[in-house]
Amino acid sequence: MTRALSSPNKPRVGITIGDPAGIGPEIALKAVTEAEVFDVCSPVIIGDAAEIRRQARELGLVADFRTTTEDLLATDGLPGDLNGPLIFDTDNLDGPASWGFVTAAGGRAAVSAIEAAVKLCLAGKLDAMSTAPINKESINLAGSPFPGHTEMIASLCGVSQSLMCFFAEDLKVFLLTVHCSLAEAIRAISRERVVSAIRLADRELRRLGIARPRIAVAGLNPHAGEHGLFGSEETREIEPAIAECREQHRIEVSGPFPSDTLFVRAWRGEFDAVAACYHDQGLIAIKCLAFGSAVNVTLGLPIIRTSVDHGTAFDIAGRGVADHRSLVEAIKLAARLVRQTSACSSVSGPAWE
């Protein structure tokens, strides 16, 4: 894929506004005016330009941005003389968004921005994308078949497997199951799933600059099953998967470990990444340790995608009090990953498999 690095070697990062009825537009507007963001990338806000400007005016935020449209895909790329953020106008709202309300219109606008960002990344017009939060009820009302960002973007990229992984400083946590019930997650923990996820995580972490990732797997049950006393999933599925990864694929992986101590061990530097069996097992640990600064990274895509670690916060939308720190960190990490993958590519061949 042709890279779109802008002069002087600043990656172009697209920022989708998420559900316009939530805090997404607000945090995007705040984030792109931060010097620490503009120092490392050329930011492009992706969403309905009229709505973005309306919210900027009503919230007292900077609104004087240049605008571009779908014509960008037919050109060589973004304007080369950018000295401030740019809006890529999706023109997908018929009227102002109603802050704090679940609507099909909000869901359609969110989906449209995501589709545009992925299209621009795959076309090489953007180097990475960072996403503000969407509302799952809204995208469902809009007719989307996907339960969240990760599944939607993977489908748009044409990949069959991806992983939701959270970066919190040196700690990385990837999820073996994501948006499903706890009962379904338990049933889904199979040897094949665990092996596949560990292999993908190992490959992607190497691509992102970790020469030999040290991966630990959390147990599903209390005390990691205590040798079958509190459940058999560890001995029946997880342990054989770990053995296969170590013996057949030469991956440095260990476990399963009791999850009540594993995340602290990883936080202190014993492991590079932790495989969590289900959504809240991993996310409770991440958000307790680094809420507001953790970043969601989708592994396994042919593009770089990062996201905030929080939701749409409908309860405070339109009040101008939303904290944009997580989005700032997501954009900065996206820019850093562009550089890391480019460096790996120059040393060891193509960055994208």
Side-chain angles (χ1 to χ4, degrees):
M1 181 175 67
T2 302
R3 307 306 292 155
L5 288 175
S6 59
S7 181
N9 295 323
K10 288 202 300 185
R12 290 176 170 134
V13 179
I15 301 132
T16 60
I17 64 169
D19 194 308
I23 62 171
E26 177 187 341
I27 61 174
L29 286 162
K30 289 177 175 178
V32 298
T33 56
E34 292 284 1
E36 61 187 301
V37 167
F38 207 75
D39 283 347
V40 298
C41 74
S42 295
V44 181
I45 301 178
I46 301 174
D48 186 274
E51 177 63 16
I52 293 168
R53 289 196 169 91
R54 179 192 74 83
Q55 294 203 22
R57 289 192 302 271
E58 295 197 21
L59 296 174
L61 303 172
V62 175
D64 187 22
F65 300 147
R66 291 174 60 182
T67 302
T68 188
T69 64
E70 187 73 15
D71 292 339
L72 174 62
L73 288 169
T75 68
D76 290 335
L78 297 174
D81 59 345
L82 285 179
N83 57 7
L86 180 75
I87 296 175
F88 181 87
D89 185 12
T90 54
D91 190 22
N92 51 21
L93 282 171
D94 294 330
S98 298
W99 279 312
F101 287 92
V102 172
T103 65
R108 283 192 296 272
V111 170
S112 178
I114 295 164
E115 291 173 342
V118 171
K119 192 175 182 181
L120 290 167
C121 286
L122 290 174
K125 309 300 183 180
L126 294 174
D127 297 293
M129 61 184 287
S130 296
T131 55
I134 60 176
N135 182 279
K136 292 175 177 57
E137 290 183 69
S138 293
I139 66 169
N140 181 261
L141 287 175
S144 172
F146 303 104
H149 264 121
T150 303
E151 299 87 349
M152 185 188 307
I153 296 172
S155 177
L156 290 169
C157 288
V159 301
S160 59
Q161 185 191 15
S162 63
L163 286 175
M164 182 182 287
C165 184
F166 286 82
F167 285 46
E169 297 182 13
D170 291 333
L171 172 64
K172 298 166 186 66
V173 176
F174 61 94
L175 307 182
L176 298 178
T177 62
V178 187
H179 298 123
C180 60
S181 71
L182 183 56
E184 186 179 347
I186 293 170
R187 291 193 296 269
I189 297 298
S190 66
R191 174 174 176 166
E192 293 76 14
R193 178 184 286 260
V194 176
V195 168
S196 180
I198 291 171
R199 293 186 66 190
L200 189 152
D202 179 72
R203 185 193 76 201
E204 291 289 280
L205 292 171
R206 289 173 186 271
R207 183 171 64 82
L208 297 179
I210 302 176
R212 186 170 177 79
R214 299 164 300 160
I215 299 172
V217 182
L220 174 66
N221 296 294
H223 298 238
E226 198 74 80
H227 304 290
L229 290 176
F230 305 137
S232 61
E233 288 86 358
E234 284 81 7
T235 55
R236 189 178 69 247
E237 308 291 345
I238 299 176
E239 290 176 12
I242 292 171
E244 179 179 332
C245 287
R246 291 180 66 88
E247 295 165 10
Q248 295 185 27
H249 306 295
R250 299 295 185 263
I251 296 172
E252 191 170 333
V253 58
S254 53
F257 298 111
S259 60
D260 57 356
T261 55
L262 175 57
F263 296 97
V264 173
R265 293 171 63 186
W267 179 259
R268 291 174 177 171
E270 192 173 341
F271 306 105
D272 296 303
V274 173
C277 289
Y278 55 93
H279 184 279
D280 285 11
Q281 182 183 54
L283 270 292
I284 289 172
I286 283 287
K287 292 187 178 183
C288 282
L289 290 168
F291 186 76
S293 62
V295 177
N296 178 2
V297 180
T298 306
L299 302 181
L301 300 177
I303 63 175
I304 291 173
R305 179 260 172 160
T306 64
S307 188
V308 295
D309 68 347
H310 59 75
T312 49
F314 277 177
D315 56 324
I316 61 169
R319 291 168 51 189
V321 297
D323 185 351
H324 59 295
R325 191 74 238 160
S326 183
L327 185 56
V328 167
E329 295 301 321
I331 298 167
K332 289 167 59 181
L333 178 59
R336 178 159 61 86
L337 294 180
V338 170
R339 291 191 174 90
Q340 287 179 346
T341 55
S342 296
C344 289
S345 176
S346 65
V347 172
S348 58
W352 308 107
E353 296 184 8

